[in-house]
Amino acid sequence: MAKVAKSPWLLHYDGSSCNGCDIEVLACLTPIYDVERFGIINTGNPKHADILLITGGINTQNKAVVEQLYSQMPDPKVVCAVGICACNGGVFKDCYNIIGGVDNVIPVDVYVPGCAARPNAIIDGVVKALGVLEEKREKMKAERGKTN
Amino acid sequence: MANRSVVPFGPQHPVLPEPIHLDLVLEDEKVVEAVPKIGYVHRGLEKLVQKRDFNDFVYIAERTCGICSFMHGMGYVEAMERIFNVDIPGRAKYLRTIWCEMSRIHSHLLWLGLLADGFGFEALFYQCWRMREQVLDMFEEATGGRVIFSVNKIGGVLKDMPAEMLDKFVKNFNYLELQLKDITEVFLKDYTVESRLRGVGILSKEDAITLGAAGPMMRASGIKIDTRSLGYAAYEDIDFEIITSNECDSYARCEVRIKEIFQSIDIIRQAVSKIPDGELSVAIKGNPNGEAFARMEQPRGEAIYYCRANGTKFLERMRIRTPTFTNLTPMLHTLKGAELADVPLLILTIDPCISCTER
């Protein structure tokens, strides 16, 4: 990533996390870590978002919500699983209500490890996601060129 | 009669970091009824006691919630210590008290920030979270973790804080107190803030009792109950007055929580001046057998932990009753008659922790 050319907006959804990763996601936006200086804004509207940050694993109740949020986001979009629970279920893997990581339901592009994931790791994950977003955008442009 | 309409609220909503769904029945802009639907964060954590042994379960108990993580771990180990019938060393009790109060400070600052964000005061939100980071830095220095720091074990604690570190922390808290005085002025005296909080979401003393409110929500309605006065950990050696308010509205809830931060800083000072030297933990032998309760005052109110063991290394049952669960009914009560625009703020005033509630 040489530079951030666009201002990517985030959508944050708490799957079934313990809050640990959620408050760290919020901590990224506040003065100490401050991702807003890169133009990254936490939006509440899936139709405004480029990057979906999900914390926590998938359970039977929130499966449909995650699918719906993902489908509402416009292309190109990137999914970033934050914390070990979102990656594969983590300590709750054996719980009866947990299906597993986010990749059971929607495609995940970036995995951020940690319990709870530290703000530095989350920012690193978002920067990686920006690279993926750029690739997807290029690919979309190329495909549009073919049809025209 | 005005037309009735139903507005769905959540589970994904800009003001809520956590998912909760409410069906709001509206008459024009007024809420007539609110029907909650919860379960988006349910994992089935309590059932895991049958798959993880009682020592490992400390780490699961801590992950009930990432905000009051230390206290969840502590509630579980206190219940287990009662089953084992062990008395933990004095130094461990004091260390637990200090970490509890540090957790309370960070949790209340987090809530104040979210509240400020809820009524649209971005700069205040940032100030609160900037101050909260100072507490997290201290956690990191003392334990290595920022939000989940696993320092409890059955029989004591795993890490010590040397005297120089404690002195440094007291200095840090003195400085934090000065900064806190500045934002207290804004929260309690600024007229725009007052206009959003005063008289909004009234919960009378009688309603608070019948609906079973807990924690600052209850104390803001004039009920003088605080589980810390039972004297678990080192609280029996510490002087503190239970903070209450008789105004019963959102402003009172904000005021009670701000005063509790000052009180927590004072408790930390007292604990640091009285902390004894000695061991950090006692050894426990064998497998647990029997049942026990532990009660604890969390930032959001009273939590109860119940453990039942059968002589094997797996417990039979573990149950947590969390404060947000009991606070949901008073919250639905305050929503009735409120305006739609005040709904996010009213949800925030109970300091909801959905992750604790649904586990």
Side-chain angles (χ1 to χ4, degrees):
Chain A
M1 277 300 298
K3 64 182 171 92
V4 182
K6 302 241 161 64
S7 299
W9 285 15
L10 297 180
L11 175 69
H12 165 225
Y13 183 72
D14 171 352
S16 61
S17 105
C18 71
N19 266 348
C21 296
D22 301 299
I23 52 175
E24 294 294 55
V25 168
L26 281 181
C28 288
L29 302 160
T30 50
I32 306 290
Y33 297 97
D34 197 15
V35 294
E36 287 196 4
R37 67 201 146 120
F38 304 124
I40 300 174
I41 289 178
N42 185 16
T43 169
N45 189 336
K47 302 215 170 185
H48 295 176
D50 305 295
I51 302 174
L52 175 59
L53 280 188
I54 301 195
T55 54
I58 297 296
N59 64 24
T60 40
Q61 179 93 309
N62 70 26
K63 189 168 171 259
V65 181
V66 171
E67 279 168 348
Q68 193 208 354
L69 286 175
Y70 181 73
S71 68
Q72 281 180 344
M73 285 170 63
D75 283 319
K77 54 192 166 189
V78 182
V79 178
C80 189
V82 175
I84 190 69
C85 297
C87 295
N88 72 353
V91 291
F92 303 119
K93 201 162 29 181
D94 295 334
C95 286
Y96 61 83
N97 200 32
I98 293 286
I99 298 172
V102 176
D103 49 11
N104 283 301
V105 187
I106 53 173
V108 175
D109 302 286
V110 181
Y111 296 87
V112 179
C115 179
R118 300 172 68 86
N120 329 27
I122 297 173
I123 294 174
D124 195 34
V126 171
V127 170
K128 285 216 165 63
L130 291 178
V132 181
L133 190 70
E134 203 49 49
E135 275 170 31
K136 287 191 176 178
R137 192 177 284 131
E138 290 301 323
K139 211 171 151 196
M140 272 176 72
K141 256 189 206 163
E143 275 173 17
R144 223 178 302 156
K146 264 185 235 161
T147 51
N148 286 348
Chain B
M1 195 184 91
N3 278 338
R4 286 198 170 190
S5 47
V6 180
V7 175
F9 185 92
Q12 190 268 334
H13 190 277
V15 297
L16 302 174
E18 293 182 277
I20 182 172
H21 178 88
L22 293 172
D23 276 324
L24 301 169
V25 183
L26 302 180
E27 250 172 34
D28 294 337
E29 283 288 299
K30 288 255 186 265
V31 180
V32 188
E33 203 184 354
V35 186
K37 183 184 170 197
I38 60 173
Y40 292 97
V41 201
H42 179 63
R43 288 152 280 177
L45 179 150
E46 289 172 353
K47 186 95 173 158
L48 265 192
V49 280
Q50 295 165 356
K51 290 184 183 165
R52 298 269 193 282
D53 77 49
F54 65 91
N55 277 318
D56 283 354
F57 195 77
V58 180
Y59 305 110
I60 310 284
E62 282 180 336
R63 281 158 179 82
T64 309
C65 166
I67 303 175
C68 27
S69 132
F70 176 78
M71 294 196 204
H72 278 300
M74 179 173 153
Y76 169 73
V77 298
E78 286 222 344
M80 290 305 287
E81 280 155 10
R82 278 182 201 167
I83 292 180
F84 279 109
N85 207 5
V86 291
D87 199 20
I88 65 162
R91 190 166 181 91
K93 285 185 182 171
Y94 272 85
L95 286 172
R96 282 185 186 174
T97 309
I98 293 170
W99 279 320
C100 267
E101 292 310 317
M102 283 168 73
S103 301
R104 195 180 315 278
I105 295 170
H106 109 74
S107 175
H108 280 355
L109 281 171
L110 176 139
W111 177 81
L112 285 171
L114 291 180
L115 181 79
D117 189 40
F119 55 61
F121 203 147
E122 283 288 312
L124 197 53
F125 166 49
Y126 277 16
Q127 286 298 333
C128 294
W129 279 61
R130 180 183 62 77
M131 288 163 58
R132 179 178 163 266
E133 287 286 337
Q134 297 170 11
V135 186
L136 296 189
D137 285 347
M138 283 188 255
F139 274 140
E140 194 169 356
E141 194 178 334
T143 65
R146 275 165 56 87
V147 289
I148 292 181
F149 40 87
S150 306
V151 281
N152 272 310
K153 71 173 222 175
I154 300 171
V157 292
L158 291 165
K159 288 200 173 138
D160 196 4
M161 289 197 276
E164 311 85 67
M165 190 187 272
L166 288 171
D167 289 340
K168 189 181 151 200
F169 283 5
V170 169
K171 277 189 200 126
N172 290 355
F173 277 116
N174 289 343
Y175 179 52
L176 188 77
E177 198 176 22
L178 284 178
Q179 302 167 54
L180 196 63
K181 279 184 180 141
D182 289 340
I183 65 155
T184 307
E185 290 286 304
V186 185
F187 270 109
L188 299 181
K189 296 195 179 138
D190 189 278
Y191 75 94
T192 45
V193 177
E194 275 194 61
S195 71
R196 287 302 303 270
L197 298 180
R198 279 241 194 244
V200 177
I202 304 267
L203 182 73
S204 68
K205 191 173 178 179
E206 293 72 35
D207 286 337
I209 294 169
T210 42
L211 298 170
M217 180 87 173
M218 164 183 72
R219 292 194 282 276
S221 292
I223 304 166
K224 208 172 178 179
I225 300 177
D226 189 324
T227 321
R228 282 179 288 176
S229 53
L230 290 178
Y232 63 91
Y235 285 109
E236 53 191 353
D237 305 334
I238 283 170
D239 296 320
F240 69 98
E241 272 287 306
I242 300 172
I243 291 164
T244 57
S245 167
N246 290 320
E247 293 182 46
C248 309
D249 56 2
S250 300
Y251 181 83
R253 283 162 221 151
C254 180
E255 191 187 2
V256 165
R257 287 195 177 95
I258 288 185
K259 285 185 178 165
E260 282 188 4
I261 304 179
F262 287 109
Q263 185 185 51
S264 293
I265 295 176
D266 187 51
I267 293 177
I268 290 173
R269 278 196 212 110
Q270 288 186 45
V272 170
S273 68
K274 288 179 184 170
I275 190 166
D277 287 328
E279 291 294 308
L280 291 180
S281 62
V282 289
I284 48 157
K285 291 187 192 78
N287 288 331
N289 200 352
E291 59 180 348
F293 266 113
R295 294 165 73 189
M296 198 136 299
E297 185 70 23
Q298 287 201 344
R300 291 163 184 76
E302 183 187 344
I304 299 174
Y305 301 82
Y306 169 74
C307 295
R308 190 170 72 221
N310 54 7
T312 66
K313 63 176 184 171
F314 299 105
L315 300 185
E316 245 177 41
R317 181 79 169 99
M318 189 271 188
R319 167 96 174 101
I320 312 176
R321 198 212 63 173
T322 58
T324 304
F325 184 73
T326 56
N327 271 337
L328 279 178
T329 351
M331 178 194 88
L332 296 175
H333 178 79
T334 57
L335 286 179
K336 277 178 203 165
E339 282 178 16
L340 180 61
D342 278 333
V343 169
L345 196 75
L346 287 174
I347 295 176
L348 281 176
T349 58
I350 70 159
D351 196 358
C353 180
I354 312 299
S355 173
C356 296
T357 312
E358 301 179 354
R359 298 183 289 284

